[in-house]
Amino acid sequence: MRSLLVSRIKPLQVLSTPTRQLKNKVPEYQKLFQEDNGLPVHLKGGTTDVLLYRFTMSLSLFGVAYTLYELLKAARPKKNK
């Protein structure tokens, strides 16, 4: 019985797939980010960077305004009915 079980088990086959070579984009990004075009580094990535920056700034401003509102609300005495 044991010989039947052992004979049915096949060793794992190792698939050798060729590795895909990726193009090195670092020199392109170095040129882009080192270019002196008057933009700050966090906005040199293009439209996506600008949208993320504006979203983050608006969320931060909303958070500061809401915090100030809650602090002012907590500082006022409650009205007795």
Side-chain angles (χ1 to χ4, degrees), residues 27-40:
E28 296 171 16
Y29 286 125
Q30 283 177 338
K31 288 178 186 176
L32 174 71
F33 286 103
Q34 290 177 356
E35 182 179 318
D36 187 20
N37 56 4
L39 288 174

Side-chain angles (χ1 to χ4, degrees), residues 29-58:
Y29 286 125
Q30 283 177 338
K31 288 178 186 176
L32 174 71
F33 286 103
Q34 290 177 356
E35 182 179 318
D36 187 20
N37 56 4
L39 288 174
V41 173
H42 59 275
L43 296 178
K44 286 189 177 187
T47 307
T48 307
D49 285 349
V50 172
L51 290 175
L52 284 172
Y53 174 75
R54 288 182 181 170
F55 174 73
T56 304
M57 289 304 293
S58 60

